[in-house]
Amino acid sequence: MRNKVTKAIFPVAGLGTRFLPATKSVPKEIMTLVDRPLIQYAIDEARAAGIKEFIFVTSRGKGALEDYFDQAPQLESELRKKDKTELLDVLESTNMESGAIAYLRQHKALGLGHAVWCARRLIGNEPFAVMLPDDVIAAEKPCLQQMVEAYEEVGGNMVAAMEVPRDKASSYGVLDIQEDMGAMVSVKGMVEKPDPGMEPSNLAVIGRYILTPNVLGNLNKMRAGSGGEIQLTDAIAQEIGNDDGVYGFRFRGQRFDCGSKAGFLQATVSFGLARGDLKDDLRRFLTQVVATEKAAE
Ligand code: UTP
């Protein structure tokens, strides 16, 4: 029997420079899509996949993130007094079980691989998930849940993968495919941010992973890779050809890169349109904006 995946690492120690000046004082993960911070989308997805322990790798200036997961007794009692049961339910759905969250610090932003390695003692000898909250995935069945189900079949190391235009591949880790089995591919190589024209395929890795503890062992010995950072991709690639191997998983859903301004705006519109209470007004507004833009051309 395979070990169940019950632990997830959330590396949130990056500098978030693409959102300066906002990220001077607001952690990127607290920025909101409609009315929920990015981190809440990731937590909900993790819970749906059966994750019980949530490990945050943070850095200086991420206090608002820790506060977000505290209970808010004063706010709750005010809402109770005013009989605002719907809002109370919203608040309660964000409560976490005592002891379910651990925070540790990455003292220097040495890269995603290094951030994951910082959590090694809390992971021990079990498979674990890694989730990047910048990647928000709208899906009927949450992405990590799809992956956990696939992992139960094949085991190994699994990375979420999606087709990207060739000219965009150099912004991602890219898979070199051994065998394409449809939803799943077996992998014979992985390249982090390949030089333009050198990408082995157009299948890119995005921010959901299920990994074996061997990857943490590989990170023990890692040196800086692409961009001078310690890359998670390199540590995963070292497992290719080993017993467990590496798989890419084509998830069903739409991924938004909320670490970029364009992706964040697109997600805001898309999540707004998915909300019954907002969609009519928003659609009307968007139609009007497009018509005005067209008329001005
Ligand atoms: P990004 O590449 O998006 O970097 O990191 P960033 O610092 O968050 O944002 P920009 O590029 O400066 O705008 C991808 C993920 O890896 C985490 C980030 O917090 C983000 O979740 N990360 C990155 C770390 O935890 N530590 C690092 O040293 C680097």
Side-chain angles (χ1 to χ4, degrees):
M1 246 295 266
R2 245 179 272 291
N3 275 347
K4 278 212 170 316
V5 184
T6 58
K7 295 181 180 178
I9 302 176
F10 300 82
V12 291
L15 300 173
T17 53
R18 282 171 289 171
F19 274 100
L20 280 170
T23 43
K24 244 177 102 183
S25 67
V26 183
K28 181 168 61 172
E29 301 73 25
I30 288 294
M31 297 197 316
T32 55
L33 279 184
V34 189
D35 50 10
R36 285 151 25 105
L38 294 184
I39 195 65
Q40 188 66 53
Y41 290 91
I43 290 282
D44 290 349
E45 186 182 328
R47 279 172 157 162
I51 299 296
K52 305 278 182 249
E53 292 181 54
F54 305 80
I55 302 164
F56 286 88
V57 182
T58 70
S59 58
R60 197 169 299 117
K62 298 279 178 170
L65 196 62
E66 298 192 22
D67 291 346
Y68 177 76
F69 289 111
D70 271 348
Q71 297 217 336
Q74 205 178 347
L75 187 55
E76 280 177 25
S77 89
E78 286 300 316
L79 293 175
R80 208 163 287 120
K81 260 192 246 161
K82 293 182 178 144
D83 221 14
K84 305 236 164 164
T85 45
E86 264 179 41
L87 286 178
L88 268 170
D89 288 346
V90 169
L91 266 194
E92 264 160 32
S93 69
T94 67
N95 286 349
M96 302 290 283
E97 196 197 331
S98 294
I101 307 187
Y103 301 97
L104 43 90
R105 282 268 173 124
Q106 184 190 25
H107 291 105
K108 242 182 168 181
L110 295 177
L112 175 60
H114 181 261
V116 168
W117 178 77
C118 287
R120 66 200 177 282
R121 294 200 180 88
L122 294 181
I123 295 295
N125 198 27
E126 292 173 40
F128 60 98
V130 175
M131 301 183 75
L132 306 189
D134 304 12
D135 277 336
V136 176
I137 300 165
E140 220 163 273
K141 182 183 282 188
C143 177
L144 192 67
Q145 188 182 350
Q146 296 176 34
M147 290 175 73
V148 163
E149 288 172 7
Y151 169 84
E152 280 164 5
E153 302 279 314
V154 297
N157 296 280
M158 191 175 289
V159 298
M162 71 177 209
E163 254 88 36
V164 297
R166 284 258 173 193
D167 62 339
K168 295 274 185 313
S170 57
S171 315
Y172 296 87
V174 180
L175 300 179
D176 194 355
I177 299 168
Q178 165 114 41
E179 192 186 346
D180 196 329
M181 298 163 280
M184 198 98 78
V185 301
S186 64
V187 171
K188 63 175 176 191
M190 291 172 84
V191 194
E192 185 60 39
K193 302 195 173 59
D195 288 335
M198 300 303 284
E199 61 281 350
S201 75
N202 68 339
L203 200 53
V205 177
I206 61 116
R208 301 286 184 275
Y209 309 78
I210 296 177
L211 302 174
T212 59
N214 284 354
V215 173
L216 297 174
N218 299 341
L219 283 168
N220 279 329
K221 309 178 279 269
M222 288 310 287
R223 289 180 204 289
S226 167
E229 296 197 340
I230 297 178
Q231 296 291 355
L232 182 60
T233 307
D234 297 342
I236 299 171
Q238 287 185 18
E239 288 306 298
I240 294 169
N242 289 354
D243 289 350
D244 288 327
V246 178
Y247 298 93
F249 178 76
R250 289 189 180 97
F251 58 95
R252 295 173 302 283
Q254 186 177 7
R255 171 257 192 183
F256 295 94
D257 175 11
C258 291
S260 77
K261 290 186 262 271
F264 192 87
L265 288 171
Q266 286 160 14
T268 300
V269 171
S270 182
F271 279 75
L273 288 173
R275 286 269 296 255
D277 54 339
L278 299 174
K279 70 171 189 237
D280 291 343
D281 279 353
L282 184 55
R283 190 182 294 136
R284 212 170 297 126
F285 172 74
L286 290 171
T287 313
Q288 207 175 43
V289 169
V290 172
T292 314
E293 288 273 304
K294 269 210 176 127
E297 269 169 20

